[in-house]
Amino acid sequence: MALGIGLGLISNSFSAIPTSGSALFGFGATILAGATMGLIGGGGSILTVPILVYLLGIPPVLATGYSLFVVGLSALVGSVNYFKLGLVNLKAGTIFAIPAFVGVFLARKFLVPALPLEIFTVGSLVVGRDLIVMGVFATVMILASVSMIRGGSEPEKEGELQFNYPMIALEGLIVGGVTGFVGAGGGFLIIPALVMLAKLPMKQAVGTSLMIIAVKSLFGFLGDLGNQSFDWGFLALFSLLSIIGIYLGTYLSRFVPSAKLKPGFGWFVLIMGLFILAKETIL
């Protein structure tokens, strides 16, 4: 019965979705974003909000809610594959994830709804909730790109697991807050923390990152249920495309070293972040 309901939702969404060129490109880009997350354990989710806002016409605040669900579900699927391969460290993930739950839930439940729709205007520029969300999101993209570009060529560090509990927990809280505010998974922050603070090998950090992203993103989405009205048919279709992408990326990760992909993807994210800032404030 549950399967029939799910298929019905997807079927209805196909009849209602836009078929313009930008919309079709947006759905194709969704698969690419999922594949990127499967390949490098993060990064792909940071494309979800721009896809929803600029290609599919979803309002920014609602787009961050959609993104939390899609990113969380996609990461959950990807983490299962890594778990089967023994590449998920439950201890490090738990230490990081618990404070992250607190950060993401508080941001979605209280911080985002508290932002006024309009604070002030400068000429034709309206400074309010949408501009703040997209501005912070673009800033996060730029910071993420720097992390990917710099970290992409660094050799993998392996060693005895030595957990820095306070620092792992603090970064979990911060990443959780960022995740809740902008709707991105935060893998670009989680992976360096797991490598540097928990001394996890890169592949294990990727798998653990996906588990953390899955749980905290879906937990943050719960904070939106009372504040937003969702099109569940559209969300089902969008999630399905993202899951297809992450299966593709997880499969390709067996053959393509993630370290070689990160710098190039980082430059792409940097350009996207600068474009969003320009579009929201100048264009």
Side-chain angles (χ1 to χ4, degrees), residues 61-62 64-66 68-69 104-105 107-110 113 217-232 235:
V61 174
L62 181 58
T64 60
Y66 278 143
L68 283 174
F69 181 84
V104 70
F105 185 80
R108 294 309 297 184
K109 188 67 176 179
F110 301 107
S217 295
L218 292 173
F219 193 79
F221 179 75
L222 295 178
D224 255 15
L225 291 179
N227 300 323
Q228 300 283 353
S229 178
F230 297 103
D231 182 341
W232 292 100
L235 193 53

Side-chain angles (χ1 to χ4, degrees), residues 53-96:
V53 172
Y54 298 119
L55 297 178
L56 298 173
I58 305 297
V61 174
L62 181 58
T64 60
Y66 278 143
S67 178
L68 283 174
F69 181 84
V70 173
V71 167
L73 187 60
S74 301
L76 180 63
V77 172
S79 67
V80 170
N81 294 323
Y82 276 89
F83 187 82
K84 290 178 179 178
L85 296 173
L87 295 175
V88 174
N89 189 294
L90 294 177
K91 182 178 180 181
T94 302
I95 295 169
F96 193 100

Side-chain angles (χ1 to χ4, degrees), residues 4-17 233 236-237:
I5 294 173
L7 291 175
L9 283 172
I10 294 172
S11 175
N12 291 337
S13 66
F14 268 109
S15 63
I17 60 172
L237 174 61

Side-chain angles (χ1 to χ4, degrees), residues 104-154:
V104 70
F105 185 80
L106 292 178
R108 294 309 297 184
K109 188 67 176 179
F110 301 107
L111 179 58
V112 173
L115 293 174
L117 291 175
E118 182 176 333
I119 302 174
F120 61 88
T121 60
V122 180
S124 60
L125 179 65
V126 178
V127 178
R129 181 188 299 174
D130 288 351
L131 179 60
I132 291 173
V133 169
M134 293 309 294
V136 172
F137 188 86
T139 302
V140 170
M141 289 186 77
I142 293 170
L143 294 174
S145 70
V146 173
S147 173
M148 293 177 195
I149 292 168
R150 287 182 175 179
S153 59
E154 293 179 0

Side-chain angles (χ1 to χ4, degrees), residues 243-280:
I243 289 171
I244 291 172
I246 203 166
Y247 266 115
L248 176 62
T250 303
Y251 174 76
L252 293 177
S253 68
R254 303 176 185 177
F255 311 103
V256 182
S258 60
K260 293 184 178 180
L261 296 173
K262 281 192 176 182
F265 186 71
W267 284 109
F268 175 72
V269 171
L270 175 61
I271 294 170
M272 284 291 296
L274 294 173
F275 169 77
I276 291 174
L277 277 180
K279 183 172 179 60
E280 295 296 326

